[in-house]
């Protein structure tokens, strides 16, 4: 990406003066490993169309009764980057696509700032259906839905996962550690041991623009991790 274009994207983030430097290598940072739940095998061996069909028809948890539609995920099925959020919101539930609206636009700008158009990544959520009122996912809902994400990972074989937001990070890593303490580390997800980096949710950054600089540091960190995979 040329310098002018990168500055344009950084301006969208409110970070126009920021300069890339000192990207850490994956081997120099702490690592935690999230265990794979026993339900993982349930979706093993299915291809993209079959998996999409299973999600669309899923009634494993009560969210199936209140959703407009499932939100499977979107993007490049050869992507190196898998972006994982918490769950669909109202607009995502309407459109059937993750990260749309203002938060989605900010996510797109964040990705473009590190040279990744939205079309080059795959974007999904821990939950494929919207919790009513945008409440946090219940533990049982996440447990029922995670095997779908795990099979998406098995099909995609990403080089890196970026968990956006506390809820996504805590569900993926099976921890209640704060987002602030999960950032700037390389975690590992599931049996595939995919490197996983944590950052803020763009909806949070819209409410708390002072933390955009930290998010930018996280993206540079993740890019450095990906380059060393
Ligand atoms: S949230 Fe997941 S497990 Fe629950 S009904 Fe939707 S697709 Fe099925």
């Amino acid at each position: 990406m040329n310098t002018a274009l990168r500055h344009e994207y950084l301006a969208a983030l409110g970070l126009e003066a920021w300069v890339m430097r000192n990207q850490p290598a994956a081997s120099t940072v702490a690592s935690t490993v999230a265990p794979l739940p026993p339900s993982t095998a349930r979706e093993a061996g299915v291809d993209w169309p079959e998996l999409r069909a299973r999600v669309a028809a899923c009634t494993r948890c009560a969210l199936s009764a209140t959703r407009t539609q499932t939100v499977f995920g979107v993007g490049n099925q050869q992507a190196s980057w898998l972006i994982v959020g918490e769950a669909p919101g109202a607009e995502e539930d309407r459109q059937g696509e993750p990260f749309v609206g203002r938060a989605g636009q900010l996510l797109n700008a964040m990705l473009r700032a590190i040279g990744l158009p939205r079309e080059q990544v795959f974007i999904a959520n821990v939950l494929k259906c919207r919790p009513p009122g945008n409440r946090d996912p219940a533990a049982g809902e996440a447990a029922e839905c995670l095997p779908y994400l795990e099979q998406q990972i098995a099909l995609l074989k990403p080089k890196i996962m970026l968990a956006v937001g506390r809820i996504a990070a805590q569900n993926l890593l099976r921890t209640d550690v704060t987002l602030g303490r999960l950032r700037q580390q390389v975690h590992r997800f599931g049996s595939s041991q995919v490197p996983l980096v944590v950052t803020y949710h763009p909806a949070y950054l819209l409410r708390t623009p002072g933390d955009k600089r930290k998010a930018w540091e996280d993206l540079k960190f993740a890019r450095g991790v990906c380059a060393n995979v």
Side-chain angles (χ1 to χ4, degrees), residues 42 54-65 67 70-71 88 126-130 140-148:
R42 191 159 49 181
R54 287 191 189 186
V55 169
C58 182
T59 57
R60 280 185 198 158
C61 82
L63 298 181
S64 60
R67 71 187 179 215
T70 55
V71 180
V126 171
L127 290 189
K128 309 306 189 201
C129 302
R130 180 194 179 209
E141 293 161 354
E144 287 297 336
C145 212
L146 267 172
Y148 293 131

mmCIF file of all heavy atoms in Angstrom, residues 42 54-65 67 70-71 88 126-130 140-148, ligand 1:
data_model
loop_
_atom_site.group_PDB
_atom_site.id
_atom_site.type_symbol
_atom_site.label_atom_id
_atom_site.label_comp_id
_atom_site.label_asym_id
_atom_site.label_seq_id
_atom_site.Cartn_x
_atom_site.Cartn_y
_atom_site.Cartn_z
ATOM 1 N N ARG A 42 -18.189 -32.900 16.027
ATOM 2 C CA ARG A 42 -19.549 -32.988 15.507
ATOM 3 C C ARG A 42 -19.657 -32.490 14.058
ATOM 4 O O ARG A 42 -20.430 -33.011 13.283
ATOM 5 C CB ARG A 42 -20.485 -32.192 16.424
ATOM 6 C CG ARG A 42 -21.926 -32.421 16.154
ATOM 7 C CD ARG A 42 -22.771 -32.064 17.346
ATOM 8 N NE ARG A 42 -22.471 -30.762 17.907
ATOM 9 C CZ ARG A 42 -23.098 -30.261 18.974
ATOM 10 N NH1 ARG A 42 -24.018 -30.972 19.571
ATOM 11 N NH2 ARG A 42 -22.798 -29.075 19.432
ATOM 12 N N ARG A 54 -25.981 -26.459 7.249
ATOM 13 C CA ARG A 54 -26.235 -26.893 8.633
ATOM 14 C C ARG A 54 -26.486 -25.692 9.542
ATOM 15 O O ARG A 54 -27.365 -25.734 10.400
ATOM 16 C CB ARG A 54 -25.043 -27.701 9.164
ATOM 17 C CG ARG A 54 -24.931 -29.071 8.566
ATOM 18 C CD ARG A 54 -23.908 -29.890 9.320
ATOM 19 N NE ARG A 54 -23.639 -31.150 8.636
ATOM 20 C CZ ARG A 54 -22.871 -32.109 9.135
ATOM 21 N NH1 ARG A 54 -22.304 -31.950 10.318
ATOM 22 N NH2 ARG A 54 -22.670 -33.217 8.457
ATOM 23 N N VAL A 55 -25.679 -24.637 9.338
ATOM 24 C CA VAL A 55 -25.874 -23.437 10.154
ATOM 25 C C VAL A 55 -27.244 -22.826 9.867
ATOM 26 O O VAL A 55 -27.988 -22.453 10.784
ATOM 27 C CB VAL A 55 -24.739 -22.421 9.899
ATOM 28 C CG1 VAL A 55 -25.064 -21.073 10.530
ATOM 29 C CG2 VAL A 55 -23.420 -22.953 10.449
ATOM 30 N N ALA A 56 -27.592 -22.726 8.608
ATOM 31 C CA ALA A 56 -28.865 -22.095 8.222
ATOM 32 C C ALA A 56 -30.063 -22.814 8.821
ATOM 33 O O ALA A 56 -31.102 -22.194 9.100
ATOM 34 C CB ALA A 56 -28.974 -22.049 6.700
ATOM 35 N N ALA A 57 -29.918 -24.120 9.031
ATOM 36 C CA ALA A 57 -31.038 -24.916 9.545
ATOM 37 C C ALA A 57 -30.936 -25.175 11.041
ATOM 38 O O ALA A 57 -31.783 -25.868 11.613
ATOM 39 C CB ALA A 57 -31.078 -26.257 8.803
ATOM 40 N N CYS A 58 -29.934 -24.619 11.688
ATOM 41 C CA CYS A 58 -29.616 -24.999 13.074
ATOM 42 C C CYS A 58 -30.695 -24.551 14.065
ATOM 43 O O CYS A 58 -31.170 -23.415 14.022
ATOM 44 C CB CYS A 58 -28.277 -24.398 13.482
ATOM 45 S SG CYS A 58 -27.793 -24.877 15.158
ATOM 46 N N THR A 59 -31.025 -25.461 14.968
ATOM 47 C CA THR A 59 -31.935 -25.146 16.079
ATOM 48 C C THR A 59 -31.342 -25.626 17.399
ATOM 49 O O THR A 59 -32.067 -25.994 18.320
ATOM 50 C CB THR A 59 -33.321 -25.785 15.857
ATOM 51 O OG1 THR A 59 -33.153 -27.202 15.690
ATOM 52 C CG2 THR A 59 -34.007 -25.208 14.639
ATOM 53 N N ARG A 60 -30.032 -25.669 17.482
ATOM 54 C CA ARG A 60 -29.385 -26.225 18.670
ATOM 55 C C ARG A 60 -29.579 -25.383 19.920
ATOM 56 O O ARG A 60 -29.431 -25.891 21.029
ATOM 57 C CB ARG A 60 -27.882 -26.375 18.416
ATOM 58 C CG ARG A 60 -27.517 -27.592 17.632
ATOM 59 C CD ARG A 60 -26.011 -27.678 17.574
ATOM 60 N NE ARG A 60 -25.612 -28.562 16.501
ATOM 61 C CZ ARG A 60 -24.433 -28.528 15.926
ATOM 62 N NH1 ARG A 60 -23.526 -27.649 16.313
ATOM 63 N NH2 ARG A 60 -24.135 -29.375 14.974
ATOM 64 N N CYS A 61 -29.794 -24.095 19.737
ATOM 65 C CA CYS A 61 -30.042 -23.287 20.936
ATOM 66 C C CYS A 61 -31.254 -22.396 20.697
ATOM 67 O O CYS A 61 -31.752 -22.273 19.564
ATOM 68 C CB CYS A 61 -28.808 -22.486 21.357
ATOM 69 S SG CYS A 61 -28.564 -20.949 20.471
ATOM 70 N N ALA A 62 -31.690 -21.730 21.760
ATOM 71 C CA ALA A 62 -32.948 -20.973 21.715
ATOM 72 C C ALA A 62 -32.883 -19.755 20.800
ATOM 73 O O ALA A 62 -33.930 -19.202 20.429
ATOM 74 C CB ALA A 62 -33.328 -20.540 23.133
ATOM 75 N N LEU A 63 -31.679 -19.338 20.414
ATOM 76 C CA LEU A 63 -31.575 -18.170 19.539
ATOM 77 C C LEU A 63 -32.186 -18.423 18.157
ATOM 78 O O LEU A 63 -32.511 -17.484 17.440
ATOM 79 C CB LEU A 63 -30.112 -17.748 19.392
ATOM 80 C CG LEU A 63 -29.424 -17.325 20.690
ATOM 81 C CD1 LEU A 63 -27.983 -16.915 20.423
ATOM 82 C CD2 LEU A 63 -30.187 -16.195 21.365
ATOM 83 N N SER A 64 -32.349 -19.685 17.824
ATOM 84 C CA SER A 64 -32.959 -20.007 16.526
ATOM 85 C C SER A 64 -34.404 -19.505 16.450
ATOM 86 O O SER A 64 -34.922 -19.258 15.360
ATOM 87 C CB SER A 64 -32.928 -21.520 16.287
ATOM 88 O OG SER A 64 -33.642 -22.193 17.310
ATOM 89 N N ALA A 65 -35.031 -19.342 17.617
ATOM 90 C CA ALA A 65 -36.439 -18.935 17.637
ATOM 91 C C ALA A 65 -36.617 -17.438 17.430
ATOM 92 O O ALA A 65 -37.703 -16.986 17.061
ATOM 93 C CB ALA A 65 -37.078 -19.347 18.971
ATOM 94 N N ARG A 67 -34.070 -15.312 15.809
ATOM 95 C CA ARG A 67 -33.259 -14.724 14.735
ATOM 96 C C ARG A 67 -34.120 -14.439 13.504
ATOM 97 O O ARG A 67 -35.140 -15.114 13.274
ATOM 98 C CB ARG A 67 -32.138 -15.691 14.338
ATOM 99 C CG ARG A 67 -32.662 -16.910 13.581
ATOM 100 C CD ARG A 67 -31.586 -17.954 13.344
ATOM 101 N NE ARG A 67 -32.117 -19.113 12.646
ATOM 102 C CZ ARG A 67 -31.713 -20.366 12.851
ATOM 103 N NH1 ARG A 67 -30.764 -20.630 13.741
ATOM 104 N NH2 ARG A 67 -32.255 -21.358 12.168
ATOM 105 N N THR A 70 -29.621 -16.750 10.066
ATOM 106 C CA THR A 70 -28.282 -17.004 10.588
ATOM 107 C C THR A 70 -27.279 -16.112 9.860
ATOM 108 O O THR A 70 -27.523 -15.670 8.735
ATOM 109 C CB THR A 70 -27.890 -18.481 10.398
ATOM 110 O OG1 THR A 70 -28.027 -18.824 9.017
ATOM 111 C CG2 THR A 70 -28.774 -19.392 11.241
ATOM 112 N N VAL A 71 -26.168 -15.864 10.528
ATOM 113 C CA VAL A 71 -25.091 -15.054 9.934
ATOM 114 C C VAL A 71 -23.853 -15.948 9.906
ATOM 115 O O VAL A 71 -23.116 -16.067 10.883
ATOM 116 C CB VAL A 71 -24.854 -13.775 10.752
ATOM 117 C CG1 VAL A 71 -23.730 -12.949 10.138
ATOM 118 C CG2 VAL A 71 -26.141 -12.957 10.823
ATOM 119 N N PRO A 88 -23.984 -11.615 15.886
ATOM 120 C CA PRO A 88 -24.648 -10.605 15.042
ATOM 121 C C PRO A 88 -25.423 -9.602 15.897
ATOM 122 O O PRO A 88 -25.993 -9.952 16.927
ATOM 123 C CB PRO A 88 -25.620 -11.438 14.190
ATOM 124 C CG PRO A 88 -25.158 -12.859 14.312
ATOM 125 C CD PRO A 88 -24.496 -12.970 15.647
ATOM 126 N N VAL A 126 -18.538 -15.747 16.947
ATOM 127 C CA VAL A 126 -18.658 -16.918 17.814
ATOM 128 C C VAL A 126 -20.069 -17.491 17.694
ATOM 129 O O VAL A 126 -20.252 -18.694 17.543
ATOM 130 C CB VAL A 126 -18.350 -16.541 19.273
ATOM 131 C CG1 VAL A 126 -18.686 -17.682 20.223
ATOM 132 C CG2 VAL A 126 -16.882 -16.132 19.414
ATOM 133 N N LEU A 127 -21.083 -16.619 17.747
ATOM 134 C CA LEU A 127 -22.477 -17.047 17.571
ATOM 135 C C LEU A 127 -22.953 -16.699 16.171
ATOM 136 O O LEU A 127 -22.665 -15.613 15.671
ATOM 137 C CB LEU A 127 -23.407 -16.344 18.571
ATOM 138 C CG LEU A 127 -23.318 -16.696 20.044
ATOM 139 C CD1 LEU A 127 -24.486 -16.043 20.798
ATOM 140 C CD2 LEU A 127 -23.315 -18.186 20.270
ATOM 141 N N LYS A 128 -23.714 -17.584 15.570
ATOM 142 C CA LYS A 128 -24.250 -17.340 14.226
ATOM 143 C C LYS A 128 -25.644 -16.703 14.253
ATOM 144 O O LYS A 128 -26.181 -16.365 13.195
ATOM 145 C CB LYS A 128 -24.325 -18.651 13.425
ATOM 146 C CG LYS A 128 -23.043 -19.471 13.412
ATOM 147 C CD LYS A 128 -21.840 -18.684 12.955
ATOM 148 C CE LYS A 128 -20.632 -19.604 12.753
ATOM 149 N NZ LYS A 128 -19.357 -18.852 12.796
ATOM 150 N N CYS A 129 -26.216 -16.576 15.440
ATOM 151 C CA CYS A 129 -27.548 -15.964 15.554
ATOM 152 C C CYS A 129 -27.496 -14.827 16.566
ATOM 153 O O CYS A 129 -26.724 -14.865 17.525
ATOM 154 C CB CYS A 129 -28.590 -16.987 16.011
ATOM 155 S SG CYS A 129 -28.737 -18.409 14.919
ATOM 156 N N ARG A 130 -28.376 -13.847 16.363
ATOM 157 C CA ARG A 130 -28.375 -12.661 17.220
ATOM 158 C C ARG A 130 -29.030 -12.938 18.574
ATOM 159 O O ARG A 130 -30.179 -13.382 18.623
ATOM 160 C CB ARG A 130 -29.147 -11.548 16.534
ATOM 161 C CG ARG A 130 -29.191 -10.280 17.362
ATOM 162 C CD ARG A 130 -30.221 -9.308 16.854
ATOM 163 N NE ARG A 130 -30.240 -8.118 17.688
ATOM 164 C CZ ARG A 130 -31.291 -7.351 17.892
ATOM 165 N NH1 ARG A 130 -32.443 -7.639 17.302
ATOM 166 N NH2 ARG A 130 -31.219 -6.300 18.665
ATOM 167 N N GLY A 140 -23.975 -21.573 27.320
ATOM 168 C CA GLY A 140 -24.506 -22.719 26.587
ATOM 169 C C GLY A 140 -24.660 -22.444 25.101
ATOM 170 O O GLY A 140 -24.432 -23.328 24.262
ATOM 171 N N GLU A 141 -25.045 -21.216 24.766
ATOM 172 C CA GLU A 141 -25.178 -20.841 23.348
ATOM 173 C C GLU A 141 -23.820 -20.893 22.659
ATOM 174 O O GLU A 141 -23.695 -21.420 21.541
ATOM 175 C CB GLU A 141 -25.782 -19.438 23.242
ATOM 176 C CG GLU A 141 -27.227 -19.364 23.730
ATOM 177 C CD GLU A 141 -27.681 -17.949 24.054
ATOM 178 O OE1 GLU A 141 -26.858 -17.007 24.019
ATOM 179 O OE2 GLU A 141 -28.880 -17.788 24.382
ATOM 180 N N ALA A 142 -22.808 -20.352 23.322
ATOM 181 C CA ALA A 142 -21.466 -20.365 22.730
ATOM 182 C C ALA A 142 -20.963 -21.799 22.569
ATOM 183 O O ALA A 142 -20.370 -22.146 21.544
ATOM 184 C CB ALA A 142 -20.514 -19.550 23.596
ATOM 185 N N ALA A 143 -21.224 -22.630 23.563
ATOM 186 C CA ALA A 143 -20.762 -24.017 23.480
ATOM 187 C C ALA A 143 -21.429 -24.759 22.329
ATOM 188 O O ALA A 143 -20.795 -25.564 21.644
ATOM 189 C CB ALA A 143 -21.039 -24.725 24.809
ATOM 190 N N GLU A 144 -22.708 -24.485 22.103
ATOM 191 C CA GLU A 144 -23.414 -25.145 21.002
ATOM 192 C C GLU A 144 -22.930 -24.653 19.642
ATOM 193 O O GLU A 144 -22.901 -25.404 18.666
ATOM 194 C CB GLU A 144 -24.919 -24.899 21.122
ATOM 195 C CG GLU A 144 -25.591 -25.671 22.231
ATOM 196 C CD GLU A 144 -25.516 -27.180 22.022
ATOM 197 O OE1 GLU A 144 -25.377 -27.624 20.862
ATOM 198 O OE2 GLU A 144 -25.584 -27.912 23.020
ATOM 199 N N CYS A 145 -22.562 -23.379 19.572
ATOM 200 C CA CYS A 145 -22.257 -22.775 18.272
ATOM 201 C C CYS A 145 -20.785 -22.885 17.887
ATOM 202 O O CYS A 145 -20.462 -22.870 16.700
ATOM 203 C CB CYS A 145 -22.676 -21.302 18.296
ATOM 204 S SG CYS A 145 -23.230 -20.712 16.685
ATOM 205 N N LEU A 146 -19.895 -22.994 18.858
ATOM 206 C CA LEU A 146 -18.467 -22.979 18.539
ATOM 207 C C LEU A 146 -18.016 -24.077 17.578
ATOM 208 O O LEU A 146 -17.098 -23.843 16.777
ATOM 209 C CB LEU A 146 -17.639 -23.043 19.834
ATOM 210 C CG LEU A 146 -17.237 -21.674 20.395
ATOM 211 C CD1 LEU A 146 -16.602 -21.828 21.772
ATOM 212 C CD2 LEU A 146 -16.277 -20.950 19.461
ATOM 213 N N PRO A 147 -18.626 -25.267 17.592
ATOM 214 C CA PRO A 147 -18.178 -26.271 16.616
ATOM 215 C C PRO A 147 -18.317 -25.795 15.169
ATOM 216 O O PRO A 147 -17.532 -26.201 14.303
ATOM 217 C CB PRO A 147 -19.113 -27.461 16.894
ATOM 218 C CG PRO A 147 -19.436 -27.327 18.341
ATOM 219 C CD PRO A 147 -19.568 -25.847 18.585
ATOM 220 N N TYR A 148 -19.268 -24.910 14.890
ATOM 221 C CA TYR A 148 -19.372 -24.366 13.527
ATOM 222 C C TYR A 148 -18.152 -23.514 13.201
ATOM 223 O O TYR A 148 -17.592 -23.602 12.104
ATOM 224 C CB TYR A 148 -20.644 -23.518 13.385
ATOM 225 C CG TYR A 148 -21.926 -24.294 13.484
ATOM 226 C CD1 TYR A 148 -22.946 -23.873 14.326
ATOM 227 C CD2 TYR A 148 -22.136 -25.427 12.711
ATOM 228 C CE1 TYR A 148 -24.145 -24.571 14.414
ATOM 229 C CE2 TYR A 148 -23.322 -26.141 12.795
ATOM 230 C CZ TYR A 148 -24.323 -25.708 13.651
ATOM 231 O OH TYR A 148 -25.488 -26.406 13.726
HETATM 232 S S1 LIG B 1 -26.560 -19.495 17.735
HETATM 233 FE FE1 LIG B 1 -25.480 -21.195 16.751
HETATM 234 S S2 LIG B 1 -26.107 -23.023 17.933
HETATM 235 FE FE2 LIG B 1 -27.633 -21.400 18.368
HETATM 236 S S3 LIG B 1 -29.265 -21.740 16.842
HETATM 237 FE FE3 LIG B 1 -27.824 -20.211 15.989
HETATM 238 S S4 LIG B 1 -26.414 -21.437 14.716
HETATM 239 FE FE4 LIG B 1 -27.457 -22.862 16.113
#
